[in-house]
Amino acid sequence: SSANHSRISAEAVISTFASAIGLPCSSVMIGRVAKAGTADLNAAVAAADTGFALWRAASPLKRAAVLRGAAELLRARADQIAPIMTLEQGKPIAEAKVEITASAEILEWFAEEARRSYGRIVPSRLDGSLHMVLKEPVGIVAAFTPWNFPISQAARKLGAALAAGCAVVIKPPEEAPASPAALVQALIDAGLPDGVVNVVYGIPAEVSETLIPHPKVRKISFTGSTPVGKHLAAMAGAHMKRITMELGGHAPAIVFDDADLERAADVLIAAKFRNAGQVCIAPTRFLVQRGVYDRFVDLLKERIEALRVGPGIEAETTIGALANPRRVEAIEALVDDAIAKGARCVTGGTSGQGDGWFYTPTLLAEMPLSARAMNDEPFGPVVLVAPFDTTEDAISEANRLDFGLAAFGFTGSLERAEAIRTRVEAGMISINHWGIAFAELPFGGVKDSGYGSEGGLEAIESYLVTKLVSQMP
């Protein structure tokens, strides 16, 4: 939705889905959303061009006020937005509320960063001259966000871009369009001028092939799978566009024999089964030292079997439906392949529970490296466990894949903790607890998991260009 149509369209999307509240969380239609064609995409960029001229001239205090106002509105509307997210995406309603409040924190963080886009004065070697290093907004941003966290991932991109003074054309996920529309509505209601943020939904390839080469678009931000990210990065490179890529992961979780096993099991199960495992930074390969392997598998089994699968709209549910039937089919194929290659199914391993796209939380032990799930990101409610003997074995397996987004380690040894910290190849590492993905922390990966950061003070830098002005009187 662009220019003067943005308010009407955002409200229409939200109200269409809100009318479905009370329906069971199953495979029924809950709403419709407009599909943008090439003319719509070009109109959105034109609107962004107009909006950019206004927004870049707005003071950092004005930008900060809008972001803070939107954060306040998100919190106030959390009870109304959370059921919409649950219906369209599947996660339990408690998790939806957490995502909304976390998104409000992200907007507040960038509200403060808007006031700290500092330049500097460089002492000059030339008598009477002044060297100024200035920071300016990069321009119009094309942003692509995923369905697994439909509000928070959009908040990361919009928060940084708007704080820097950029305008945005954002394509949220077609699978979960109404909740990111609610985020945009909050920004509009907080005073964001028309045209600064423009929302489009459509066929992903058509949208990217129009927006990325567009001469008015100066920056691309994408969160999604590694294959798609590589394709978009190549397209952006052909047009010399600045990009941020937050791509797939396959996070190792190393559990040494001197770790607090109860604590490790609690942290890892909570992290793994959040959003039914559909989380890019979820621990996936549980690497457990052989001396405590059997005991730790038992601890995982106890916690997994205590989870309650059901419609996310029900308060007691801890594991909701997967986002679409493709995810169920993909998990079934990975589990079947692992078992065929020698993995032991400790618990779970079934689908089709209830009326919807459910998959039972599953624990696979003695995972062979030849199993597809040990090489391809499972992105679902499946824990993969394999034993290791030495620190070298664990580090080697942690770094074996081309992914490098997140990693986890549990140990009582400072020496082993240092080995994890210094030798594991990942953009984010958490040791002995869950300590990543907060608004004030960098969020990004290395290797095939992408580059750039969407959190912390680093995030705003990719939306700013550096300009040198050297001046004589």
Side-chain angles (χ1 to χ4, degrees), residues 90 341 381 465:
K341 289 176 178 172
V465 293

Side-chain angles (χ1 to χ4, degrees), residues 68-111:
R68 279 198 302 270
E72 292 172 3
L73 290 172
L74 276 184
R75 287 196 180 95
R77 298 171 181 177
D79 288 342
Q80 289 75 48
I81 299 171
I84 296 173
M85 186 191 299
T86 293
L87 282 172
E88 63 180 358
Q89 197 274 335
K91 67 182 60 179
I93 197 163
E95 291 187 16
K97 289 182 180 179
V98 169
E99 179 176 343
I100 293 165
T101 56
S103 299
E105 288 187 5
I106 290 169
L107 295 183
E108 288 174 336
W109 168 262
F110 286 116

Side-chain angles (χ1 to χ4, degrees), residues 416-473:
R416 286 169 165 175
E418 182 180 10
I420 296 168
R421 175 174 57 83
T422 60
R423 298 177 59 195
V424 171
E425 298 167 351
M428 298 172 282
I429 298 176
S430 189
I431 300 175
N432 290 332
H433 75 140
W434 173 268
I436 58 180
F438 301 125
E440 65 273 18
L441 300 178
F443 190 95
V446 297
K447 303 197 292 188
D448 276 6
S449 291
Y451 42 82
S453 180
E454 295 208 313
L457 59 88
E458 291 83 1
I460 197 172
E461 284 296 321
S462 64
Y463 294 91
L464 295 167
V465 293
T466 300
K467 176 186 285 186
L468 168 67
V469 178
S470 184
Q471 181 177 329
M472 278 278 197

